[in-house]
């Protein structure tokens, strides 16, 4: 198994967009959106995500996996977890891609109607969710295919700095 670098994941996500667009007609647009695995092999897994409604992932990590994201439709924001500096929120639209390193903690905010491809390497096995609990930053493990919760107390603490 050969783990891909973050920029390689972003390139692969960009190339996977064509496959995602062809397969999207069969994707159910349930309330809140839907996700489908486009492929999974020993090196990577690719997800097509459709956000029917606005969705904030909250701060999370990918349990040691790098990720590359390609925006097909709509727009998303991406923000790493800032420590000792200002927040850096970046907006991406159709045709844009970005990546997050394997040890990165970030949050994404998907506008309603956003369609994205995410490529994780190695294949995603778990996600860690972050929130402030009793004044301390806490990581809670979760499954790779579960809806990630928002981080309202963590966001408030960053806004209060």
């Amino acid at each position: 198994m050969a783990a891909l670098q973050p920029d390689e994941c972003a390139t692969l996500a960009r190339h996977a967009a064509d496959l995602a667009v062809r397969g999207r007609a069969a994707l159910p647009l349930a309330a809140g959106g839907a996700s489908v695995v486009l492929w999974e092999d020993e090196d990577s897994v690719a997800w097509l995500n459709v956000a029917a409604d606005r969705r904030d992932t909250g701060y999370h990590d990918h349990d040691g996996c790098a990720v590359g994201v390609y925006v097909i439709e709509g727009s998303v924001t991406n923000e790493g977890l800032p420590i000792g500096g200002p927040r850096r929120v970046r907006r991406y639209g159709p045709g844009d891609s970005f990546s997050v390193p394997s040890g990165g903690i970030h949050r994404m905010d998907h506008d309603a109607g956003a369609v994205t491809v995410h490529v994780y390497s190695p294949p995603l096995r778990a996600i860690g969710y972050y929130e402030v609990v009793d004044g301390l930053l806490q990581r809670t493990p979760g499954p790779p295919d579960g809806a990630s919760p928002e981080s309202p107390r963590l966001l408030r603490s960053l806004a209060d700095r």
Side-chain angles (χ1 to χ4, degrees):
M1 176 161 68
L4 303 172
Q5 295 299 310
D7 59 332
E8 294 173 308
C9 291
T11 298
L12 196 52
R14 190 174 321 127
H15 293 306
D18 183 50
L19 172 64
V21 170
R22 284 195 309 261
R24 196 178 74 188
L27 186 64
L29 289 176
S35 298
V36 65
V37 174
L38 297 173
W39 78 76
E40 182 170 4
D41 60 28
E42 64 185 25
D43 298 325
S44 64
V45 62
W47 288 80
L48 170 67
N49 296 304
V50 177
D53 303 319
R54 182 191 161 270
R55 187 170 95 73
D56 181 347
T57 65
Y59 286 100
H60 63 280
D61 66 45
H62 301 117
D63 200 36
C65 298
V67 62
V69 178
Y70 181 84
V71 180
I72 297 172
E73 291 180 17
S75 63
V76 300
T77 61
N78 183 63
E79 176 183 13
L81 179 57
I83 302 297
R87 292 176 62 186
R88 290 176 278 181
V89 180
R90 301 255 344 246
R91 179 164 291 282
Y92 299 92
D96 292 335
S97 63
F98 63 93
S99 61
V100 177
S102 59
I105 300 170
H106 76 123
R107 67 181 272 270
M108 287 183 62
D109 198 348
H110 302 76
D111 290 343
V115 179
T116 56
V117 174
H118 301 234
V119 174
Y120 302 91
S121 183
L124 188 62
R125 300 289 176 228
I127 294 179
Y129 307 111
Y130 292 82
E131 183 55 292
V132 174
V133 178
D134 295 327
L136 300 173
L137 183 63
Q138 180 175 322
R139 180 186 190 271
T140 302
D145 58 353
S148 52
E150 294 186 26
S151 309
R153 291 182 302 277
L154 180 50
L155 276 173
R156 275 195 305 276
S157 70
L158 292 172
D160 292 343
R161 293 193 298 165

